[in-house]
Amino acid sequence: MNQKGLLVIISGPAGSGKGTIVSRLRELAPFDFSVSATTRSPRPGEQHGVHYYFVDKADFEKKIEQGEMLEYAQYVGNYYGTPRKPVEDALSAGKNIILDIEVKGALQIKEKMPEAIMIFVMPPDYETLLARIRGRGTETEEKILERLSRAKEEIYSAPDYDYVVYNYDGKDTEAADQILRIIDAEHAAMR
Ligand code: 5GP
């Protein structure tokens, strides 16, 4: 049987702790992970081609024009987008591929590819969300406030997703495990 890979989209507002969960999935799971392009500057420790392709605005806009982006969105003053080819290649090779992207881009993909599995990572409460957004320590106050307001907007989109996974403090391993169980169940689904 020619099994197609699953396209798994993971979104979660700033402060959901999604980054830690995705790092854990990278360690555990034999999946491909889409490397996005962004116009944001690298944070300490981030590598070009591993965490992101760091490009300038002109390059990003050229990629959009040339149809190289499966989706893209603006987030807190920068472009972020998913290069189309690695996703198409993984799926046609029967591999699962995980995309860690924000809500607007996720909904663009769901329209084009309704078979995508959409998982929303939710912070347990507002105080935790705020503490996590402030905790990173690499952002200016202005960017923190922008991320906070975007986070509130994004939470309203959770009902558009197929699954919601709560990420309680100190329980990111459990949240990552829950995502793996969802993916397992989707492999067995008949629809
Ligand atoms: P950060 O700057 O914290 O790395 O990412 C900011 C937001 O952009 C996160 O919600 C992240 O999931 C999202 N993001 C990362 N890559 C992409 C992408 O390719 N497309 C879209 N639409 N969002 C992305």
Side-chain angles (χ1 to χ4, degrees), residues 4-189:
K4 233 188 150 204
L6 298 177
L7 173 59
V8 180
I9 297 178
I10 302 184
S11 300
S16 64
K18 177 194 56 173
T20 320
I21 295 176
V22 170
S23 307
R24 176 134 187 97
L25 292 173
R26 278 176 181 265
E27 282 166 30
L28 289 178
F31 303 149
D32 282 11
F33 286 81
S34 160
V35 179
S36 298
T38 183
T39 58
R40 139 164 114 54
S41 314
R43 295 192 187 114
E46 283 183 338
Q47 287 169 276
H48 182 77
V50 178
H51 300 93
Y52 281 107
Y53 296 106
F54 296 99
V55 300
D56 64 23
K57 192 164 173 253
D59 271 351
F60 198 104
E61 286 173 346
K62 200 161 132 208
K63 287 178 193 298
I64 298 172
E65 268 169 39
Q66 293 178 339
E68 289 177 32
M69 292 300 182
L70 185 59
E71 60 73 35
Y72 69 93
Q74 299 228 18
Y75 180 90
V76 188
N78 283 296
Y79 278 123
Y80 292 80
T82 305
R84 175 189 303 279
K85 190 159 185 311
V87 174
E88 290 177 351
D89 288 351
L91 294 177
S92 52
K95 293 194 221 158
N96 295 340
I97 183 159
I98 297 195
L99 274 56
D100 162 2
I101 64 176
E102 55 68 69
V103 166
K104 289 184 185 162
L107 296 177
Q108 287 172 42
I109 294 191
K110 187 75 185 176
E111 249 183 34
K112 291 186 222 165
M113 304 164 95
E115 69 283 7
I117 297 151
M118 309 262 290
I119 302 176
F120 193 91
V121 177
M122 188 74 99
D125 51 58
Y126 185 71
E127 287 66 35
T128 310
L129 176 141
L130 197 56
R132 287 178 184 163
I133 292 182
R134 292 205 168 277
R136 181 178 276 142
T138 56
E139 315 278 338
T140 60
E141 183 65 18
E142 188 194 351
K143 292 276 176 201
I144 288 174
L145 293 178
E146 277 182 62
R147 279 178 185 260
L148 182 60
S149 106
R150 184 71 175 247
K152 288 186 200 158
E153 261 176 51
E154 290 200 337
I155 287 174
Y156 283 108
S157 297
D160 292 325
Y161 281 67
D162 300 312
Y163 298 93
V164 172
V165 171
Y166 279 85
N167 184 20
Y168 297 99
D169 252 353
K171 300 280 183 197
D172 39 78
T173 306
E174 284 79 351
D177 285 347
Q178 194 180 352
I179 290 176
L180 291 176
R181 289 198 298 274
I182 290 169
I183 295 172
D184 254 358
E186 285 287 345
H187 269 299

